[in-house]
Amino acid sequence: MISAAGVELSLDLQGLSTGLVYLVVLSFVFIESGILLGFFLPGDALLFGAGLVAASPHSDVALWPLTIGVCVAAVAGDAVGYWTGRRWGRPWLETKPRMAEHIAKAEAFYERWGAIAVIVARWFPWLRTATPVVAGVARMPYRRFVAANVVGAVTWGAGLIQLGYYSYEISWLRNTAIAIGLTCGAILVIAGAVRWILARRRARADNLAG
């Protein structure tokens, strides 16, 4: 989610040439969207910071080329993730006897909630990296996936850049966005910690029962 890092990233981006700003932002968006190793990249903060840079009178970064480029990179990244899951992830998982039940559950989930999941996952770190891959594993119909992919990419990519852009001169909007981002980030961290603790407890209970 957006954090104070968005402002810090805007300062870092301002030190780059215009071409490098585009390259860094679009590359990060593509990698975070389509490659599992990109789950640690600060996509939300980067887009917010890029919007701030585009609004700066000292920058040659243009708002609409940046926005369109980010949307294209996000769509392309998710497409790579989808086909990675479908062509390589699914066959590999099918060789694991214990994964059959999980694959069936993923198929049922994406049959019912796939489009919503792809759109909503864009707004959550880690989920936006894993969701397209799992959609591919579950063999979600590609037409449905593409439609959801485009909607998610546009609302997330364009939305955060526009938010950063208009926050440049509207301090209350910037402060509110940062506050919301910090709150959501804290909730995600706490939820992840709770889930990890519960999983550990279940594993210990299973070991004792066995």
Side-chain angles (χ1 to χ4, degrees):
M1 302 300 291
I2 302 168
S3 70
V7 179
E8 295 176 3
L9 278 169
S10 71
L11 297 176
D12 293 337
L13 291 172
Q14 283 180 340
L16 303 177
S17 66
T18 301
L20 278 178
V21 170
Y22 289 121
L23 178 62
V24 169
V25 174
L26 300 188
S27 297
F28 273 43
V29 168
F30 176 82
I31 292 171
E32 186 183 23
S33 299
I35 302 176
L36 286 175
L37 294 177
F39 71 90
F40 62 89
L41 296 178
D44 297 323
L46 183 70
L47 292 182
F48 185 75
L52 291 173
V53 170
S56 172
H58 306 294
S59 173
D60 291 327
V61 176
L63 175 63
W64 287 109
L66 177 66
T67 302
I68 293 171
V70 164
C71 292
V72 171
V75 169
D78 259 24
V80 170
Y82 175 90
W83 287 110
T84 298
R86 183 157 183 157
R87 293 188 176 181
W88 291 287
R90 174 81 180 226
W92 180 76
L93 290 174
E94 286 178 339
T95 63
K96 311 296 179 182
R98 296 182 180 181
M99 295 305 298
E101 180 180 352
H102 296 290
I103 293 175
K105 288 181 178 179
E107 289 176 342
F109 176 84
Y110 277 87
E111 178 65 29
R112 184 173 183 181
W113 305 105
I116 296 176
V118 172
I119 294 171
V120 172
R122 275 289 180 188
W123 294 89
F124 296 91
W126 312 305
L127 284 181
R128 64 171 159 263
T129 303
T131 295
V133 177
V134 180
V137 170
R139 291 178 178 169
M140 177 180 176
Y142 190 62
R143 288 185 179 180
R144 289 181 59 205
F145 174 80
V146 167
N149 181 15
V150 171
V151 172
V154 171
T155 54
W156 172 70
L160 286 177
I161 290 176
Q162 297 287 329
L163 181 60
Y165 183 86
Y166 289 107
S167 293
Y168 184 84
E169 294 184 351
I170 307 175
S171 59
W172 69 264
L173 180 60
R174 179 172 63 252
N175 295 335
T176 300
I178 292 173
I180 292 174
L182 289 173
T183 301
C184 292
I187 292 173
L188 287 173
V189 171
I190 293 172
V194 170
R195 185 175 181 180
W196 181 80
I197 292 171
L198 292 176
R200 293 275 294 180
R201 288 181 178 178
R202 282 197 297 268
R204 289 178 181 177
D206 292 342
N207 290 335
L208 292 175

